[in-house]
Amino acid sequence: MQADTALKDAWSRIPSLGAAETAFERFTGKRMERILATVVAIGSAMLGTQAMFAAIGTMSSGTSPVHITLLVIVYIPLIAMLVACVIGRGVRVASGSFAVAYLVALASWPLTVGAGDHRAVNQPWIFFLVNVGVAAAMLAFPVRIQMLWAVAVPLVYGCVRLVEGEFAGSVWTLTAFDVSFTLILGIVILSLGWMFRSVAAGVDDARGRAVASYAGAAAAAAAEEERVAMAALMHDSVLAALIAAERADSDRARDLAVAMAREALTRLANTEAAVAQEGSDEPVGTAQIVIELRRALSERGADAIVEERGGSGLIPGRAARALVLAARQAVGNAVTHAHGRGLHLIVEGHGDDGLTVTVMDTGGGFDMDTVGEDRLGIRASIIARMAGVAGAATIDSDGEGTTVVLGWMRE
């Protein structure tokens, strides 16, 4: 009972697919966002330092208080973005603030600095941060706004340079080159970010499907364990009580048989709910049955050949479960009594009309007539199980090995 309680508690701690969204389903996506923020922080710090030195060089020859104010407006959000990228918190807000502040500062550059201040070939310090603004938009905004920023920032810079150079012919050539370069580089930055995020999203999606598949397999394995426990209960408790009752020849023996029967009935009642859940009758394909048989072999640690023949089709879920469970029992018998020698499984599909599973080994074999009536491994787990779904099971065993043929055909 303690083991059952611990198992139920462990399953209750596994989050649902919706609740796991923030925990591990987007693990790769979060890691990729962290990597992108770190790379942007390193590049932005380098370009920001370069722009700062350029700005200091401009200040040495005299500058206006408005120019200093513009420098503060740009660098305070930039520093905030760098800190957010390093600590991994508030990246979107800080990056979005810098992207907007930089675009506003860039657009107001001619008004605050004045036309003709930088009409020479030398570029203003704010130019070094053009692609930093695009990278910040990549971290903060959706894809459409990112593309808008990648186009708008270079174009605004081009207009600023033309106004600053009073639309001189030489300025047009240099500005066209600068705008083209920054436009291409910005698109490359956005493309890389989109590509890495798409790959991370694909990995997370595949992980989510794998977790869902594993959860389904774990649930099926748990149901199988419950059925195995029920079979053991029938074998150990119920059958023992029946044998004790049949052999009781005194009051003492009869009282003991009654006590054993009561205990068996109590244990049956406790497992009734689990046994009643036979699962859905959703059609199952031949490939899925082969997968289940391979899993059974893996659980047993058996080395066997699994051969698939005939055409694939769909059979009812109950028949498929009976075939798989009966085949698992046959495999277990072959591993236990024949040590898995020459174990060979053949799954032959007959389309949607039926399926045949053959389990063969080259062990010493056995005589069905010598198998005791109280042994349920063959009679209950194989023959009776197949009969319960209107199937058939034949067992042929001699000194050269054992062949178990399990079949289900649609009526």
Side-chain angles (χ1 to χ4, degrees), residues 227 273-281 317-318 321 325:
R227 283 190 285 267
V275 175
Q277 295 177 355
E278 292 293 337
S280 67
D281 205 25
R318 294 181 183 272
R321 283 191 297 276
L325 293 175

Side-chain angles (χ1 to χ4, degrees), residues 64-278:
S64 63
V66 179
H67 194 175
I68 298 176
T69 302
L70 189 64
L71 188 67
V72 172
I73 292 175
V74 171
Y75 268 88
I76 288 180
L78 177 60
I79 294 174
M81 183 185 76
L82 295 178
V83 173
C85 290
V86 170
I87 65 176
R89 295 183 179 180
V91 176
R92 289 183 178 273
V93 176
S95 300
S97 300
F98 171 75
V100 174
Y102 176 76
L103 186 60
V104 171
L106 183 62
S108 60
W109 179 268
L111 301 177
T112 56
V113 178
D117 288 349
H118 299 278
R119 66 183 63 181
V121 178
N122 295 332
Q123 297 167 339
W125 61 267
I126 202 169
F127 168 76
F128 296 101
L129 302 176
V130 170
N131 289 119
V132 176
V134 176
M138 184 265 293
L139 294 178
F141 303 140
V143 177
R144 293 185 178 180
I145 301 180
Q146 293 176 23
M147 296 301 298
L148 177 63
W149 232 258
V151 175
V153 173
L155 292 181
V156 170
Y157 169 77
C159 294
V160 168
R161 289 289 283 168
L162 290 176
V163 172
E164 200 177 32
E166 297 181 344
F167 298 95
S170 59
V171 177
W172 277 92
T173 304
L174 294 174
T175 302
F177 174 79
D178 292 339
V179 170
S180 301
F181 176 77
T182 54
L183 183 62
I184 294 173
L185 185 57
I187 293 176
V188 169
I189 292 173
L190 297 187
S191 299
L192 290 175
W194 175 82
M195 180 184 68
F196 289 136
R197 283 169 170 165
S198 299
V199 171
V203 172
D204 287 330
D205 183 62
R207 179 184 291 110
R209 291 196 300 269
V211 169
S213 176
Y214 176 78
E224 172 60 16
E225 290 178 1
E226 292 288 346
R227 283 190 285 267
V228 171
M230 184 60 186
L233 172 62
M234 290 292 294
H235 186 278
D236 298 335
S237 299
V238 178
L239 188 59
L242 292 175
I243 293 174
E246 191 271 336
R247 295 179 179 178
D249 55 1
S250 65
D251 293 340
R252 173 70 176 170
R254 292 188 187 95
D255 292 340
L256 180 61
V258 171
M260 292 176 63
R262 287 175 177 172
E263 181 183 359
L265 290 173
T266 301
R267 295 179 63 184
L268 279 173
N270 291 336
T271 56
E272 182 180 4
V275 175
Q277 295 177 355
E278 292 293 337

